[in-house]
Amino acid sequence: MIRARVVFLLGLAQLVSWGITYYMIGAFGELIAADRGWSREIVYGGYAASLLVMGLTSPLVGRLIDRHGGRRVMNVGALINAAGCFALAYVDGVVPYLATWAMMGIGMRMTLYDAAFATLARIGGPAARRPIAQITLLGGLASTVFWPLGQMLAEAFGYRGAIACYGGFALATILLHLMIPDGHHRDIPKPADEPPPPPPPSRAAAGSALMLAASLYAFSAAATNFLNAGISAHMIGMLAGMGLAFGTAVWVSSLRGIGQSAARLVEVLFGRKVEPLNLHVLAAFLMVAGFALGALSGGETWAAIAFALMFGAGNGLMTITRGTIPLVLFDHRTYGAFVGRLLAPSFFLSAAAPLIYAVTVEAFGGQGGMVLSLAISSLIFVAAVALRLRFGGAAPDRR
C-alpha cells in the first residue's frame, strides 16, 4: 500500500519539477532571445534537444528505477535539474546553452511523470493505479503556477535571477523525493493447493498480442506527446491567429491547466470502477471534440474556451492512462524498463513538434494548426478504440 503522504509529496515534487523544466521555456524563451540576441530557433532548439535526450535515455532510466528504486534516481535527476537551471541562468554561448538543455533532458526524464509512474508501480504493483492518478492532480497545475511565478521573479530579479531561483526549487524537491519508500512490491504467493486465477481478459498475452498492445500503446503515447509539445509552444499564437485578441488568447489558453486538473480530480473521485482502457477512449474522444471545436471556432471566445477545457481534460486523462494502461496490459515487475522503451519514440516526436507546428501555422495560420491537431487526435482515438476492442473486458481495478 502506498501511503497518502507519499502520494502528496510526490505530487508536489511533480508540480515543481514540471514547472521549472518543461514549462520553463514558455516563461523565459522570449526574454532569453531578446537578451542574448539569438533566434527563436536557437532558443527553442535547446528545449528540443532536451526532449531528444529524454528519448535516448528513457529505456536506461526505466531500468535504473526497476533496479534501484525511484528515490535514488529521482534525487539524482533533481540535482541535474538544479545544475541545469544554474547553468542556464549564466551561460552565454550557443554551444553551452544547447549542451545545458541536453543535460536537463536527463534530469527531466529522471524526475517527471514517467519516472514517477514507474516508481509507484515498483512500490505498489497493480495497486498503483490510484496513486498515479492522484499525483497528476498537482502536476497538472505546473504551468498555471510557474508561468505567472516565473514572470513575477523575472520582474523582481531579471530572468537570469528567476532561472537561478528555479535551481533552488529543484534542490528543494530532493527533500520531497527522500520520502519515497525504497521497498519493492511483492506479489502474495497463493497456497499450493489453490489453483492460480486465470489471467484477466484484458491482459496482453505473449507473442503477437503483446506486440500489438505495445504498438498501440506506444503510438498513442507518442502522438499525444507530439500534440502536447506542439500546442504548449503555439496555443496562444494559434488562438490569436484565429481572431482572438492576444490578451484573451493568453487567459483562454491558461484554462487548459484547469481542464487537466479538473478531469483528473473527477477520475480520482469517481473513476474507481472505470477500466483504464475505457478511460483512454474517453480521453481521446475529448481531444477530438476539443480540436473540432477549435477548428470551427472562427474566433468566437466561447468556442475557444470550450476547446481549451476539452483539450486540457482529454490530455489530463491521457496522462493518467499512460501510467495505468501498462498495469493492465504488461507485467508490473518490469514496468520501468519495458514502458521506458515504449515511450522513447514519443520524446523524439515531441522534439520535432514545435518546429512542425511553427511551419504549419506560418503557412496555414491558426486554423491549419487546429486541423493538423484534429487529424492527429483522430488517429489517437482510432488507436484507443482498437486497444479497447482487442484487450478490454477485464474487471476494473477496485483499488
Side-chain angles (χ1 to χ4, degrees), residues 204-218 330 338 342 391:
S208 60
L210 177 61
M211 182 176 297
L212 176 62
S215 298
L216 290 172
Y217 170 81
F330 314 124
F338 188 71
L342 296 181
F391 301 104

Side-chain angles (χ1 to χ4, degrees), residues 13 23 30 59 79 93 108 137 158 163 165 170 196-197 266 281 332 343 355:
Y23 291 111
E30 295 301 318
L79 289 172
M108 290 162 68
L137 289 175
I163 296 177
C165 289
V266 170
V281 173
H332 67 84
L343 291 177
L355 177 60

Side-chain angles (χ1 to χ4, degrees), residues 22-23 25-26 30 44 143-144 147 226-260 287 290-291 293-295 297 299-315 353-358 361 365-370 373:
Y22 190 90
Y23 291 111
I25 197 68
E30 295 301 318
Y44 291 92
S143 61
T144 304
W147 277 348
F226 178 89
L227 278 179
N228 191 31
I231 296 300
S232 294
H234 297 283
M235 185 172 181
I236 295 173
M238 286 168 55
L239 291 177
M242 296 179 67
L244 267 66
F246 184 79
T248 302
V250 170
W251 73 259
V252 168
S253 297
S254 71
L255 296 177
R256 167 189 165 178
I258 303 300
Q260 285 184 162
M287 290 204 299
F291 284 119
L293 274 172
S297 67
E300 293 290 335
T301 302
W302 70 267
I305 291 173
F307 151 66
L309 291 173
M310 294 182 74
F311 168 65
N315 188 61
L355 177 60
I356 292 174
Y357 267 82
V361 173
Q367 184 83 11
M370 287 290 182
S373 302

Side-chain angles (χ1 to χ4, degrees), residues 21-204:
T21 59
Y22 190 90
Y23 291 111
M24 179 200 294
I25 197 68
F28 304 122
E30 295 301 318
L31 296 175
I32 293 172
D35 178 64
R36 304 182 187 185
W38 295 342
S39 67
R40 288 181 173 82
E41 287 77 9
I42 292 175
V43 173
Y44 291 92
Y47 172 67
S50 72
L51 298 179
L52 284 173
V53 172
M54 287 179 74
L56 291 171
T57 58
S58 183
L60 173 60
V61 172
R63 289 196 298 271
L64 289 174
I65 292 175
D66 283 342
R67 186 175 305 169
H68 302 292
R71 183 167 67 189
R72 298 175 187 176
V73 172
M74 297 185 80
N75 272 332
V76 172
L79 289 172
I80 295 174
N81 288 341
C85 289
F86 291 134
L88 284 176
Y90 300 108
V91 298
D92 286 315
V94 173
V95 173
Y97 173 81
L98 296 176
T100 299
W101 267 113
M103 178 183 71
M104 289 272 287
I106 301 173
M108 290 162 68
R109 180 57 183 89
M110 297 174 80
T111 56
L112 300 185
Y113 277 147
D114 297 306
F117 294 164
T119 297
L120 291 172
R122 184 180 190 271
I123 299 170
R129 176 187 170 185
R130 190 179 188 190
I132 283 174
Q134 289 171 330
I135 67 168
T136 64
L137 289 175
L138 286 172
L141 296 173
S143 61
T144 304
V145 172
F146 275 87
W147 277 348
L149 177 60
Q151 292 301 309
M152 291 171 57
L153 291 172
E155 291 173 1
F157 307 111
Y159 83 88
R160 292 179 186 265
I163 296 177
C165 289
Y166 276 21
F169 294 146
L171 292 176
T173 63
I174 293 175
L175 299 176
L176 303 175
H177 294 148
L178 286 174
M179 298 297 104
I180 298 173
D182 206 23
H184 198 297
H185 173 77
R186 303 293 181 187
D187 292 322
I188 300 174
K190 299 292 183 182
D193 58 348
E194 181 179 334
S202 63
R203 189 173 301 280

